[in-house]
Amino acid sequence: MYVMHNSEYPLSCFALFENGPCLIADANFDVLMVKLKGFFQNAKGNKIESRGTRYQYCDFLVKIGTVTMGPSARGISVEVEYCPCVIASDCWNLLMEFMQSFMGSHTPGIPSVFSNKHDSIYSPADTMVQYMELFNKIRKQQQVPVAGIR
């Protein structure tokens, strides 16, 4: 289980299960997890976060952040939201065109979270699932196989 926070939703705490549901709770969820430390153990040195700047351009919201794991930077995150639209599949082509204007050939494909949400309302939990996928990719890139010494 991953416990995540988002500065856009300061009173919420997101608990994401590997390939499972996303629980949205109030900010005191962290206190509950401390009391349950006999059942759940924190992964030491596994804290990863994205911090950056939030920009608004007309109806678009763009957040660009540096992804850090421990004391070192590991990547860059770019989050783009088209504020008037709540059904992501309806505005995906517009989002792609907007992202291509500043990301060029580095524009990503359609997120996997959209494949499960045909014509349904996009929620903050969907954003957190995408951050979890990004963080897991970055963690896997950092794992270097150790060769045996003889």
Side-chain angles (χ1 to χ4, degrees), residues 4-150:
M4 301 176 75
H5 298 272
N6 187 331
S7 59
E8 291 289 316
Y9 308 98
L11 298 177
S12 297
C13 184
F14 301 86
L16 290 94
F17 296 89
E18 196 78 37
N19 299 320
C22 177
L23 170 72
I24 303 173
D26 67 11
N28 290 331
F29 184 75
D30 288 332
V31 175
L32 176 64
M33 292 305 293
V34 169
K35 291 183 181 201
L36 294 174
K37 67 182 175 184
F39 301 101
F40 295 101
Q41 185 176 2
N42 284 339
K44 301 290 183 213
N46 221 3
K47 182 180 178 184
I48 188 167
E49 68 180 343
S50 178
R51 288 188 179 263
T53 308
R54 180 183 193 266
Y55 302 97
Q56 185 151 4
Y57 177 74
C58 298
D59 287 335
F60 291 95
L61 187 61
V62 179
K63 299 176 204 165
I64 301 172
T66 303
V67 179
T68 57
M69 196 162 63
S72 58
R74 300 294 187 187
I76 297 172
S77 66
V78 179
E79 179 184 341
V80 179
E81 178 182 347
Y82 182 59
C83 298
C85 186
V86 294
I87 299 175
S89 60
D90 288 352
C91 60
W92 178 249
N93 290 332
L94 181 61
L95 282 168
M96 284 290 292
E97 187 177 329
F98 178 72
M99 287 187 289
Q100 286 172 344
S101 71
F102 64 92
M103 294 179 73
S105 63
H106 298 288
T107 303
I110 190 163
S112 62
V113 73
F114 289 178
S115 63
N116 302 332
K117 297 189 69 79
H118 298 291
D119 297 331
S120 61
I121 295 176
Y122 190 84
S123 70
D126 298 322
T127 300
M128 299 313 290
V129 167
Q130 290 180 75
Y131 271 109
M132 186 181 76
E133 289 173 355
L134 172 68
F135 293 162
N136 284 339
K137 279 183 191 175
I138 290 173
R139 279 189 189 104
K140 287 177 184 169
Q141 288 175 351
Q142 303 309 314
Q143 294 175 348
V144 179
V146 178
I149 300 173
R150 296 178 192 220

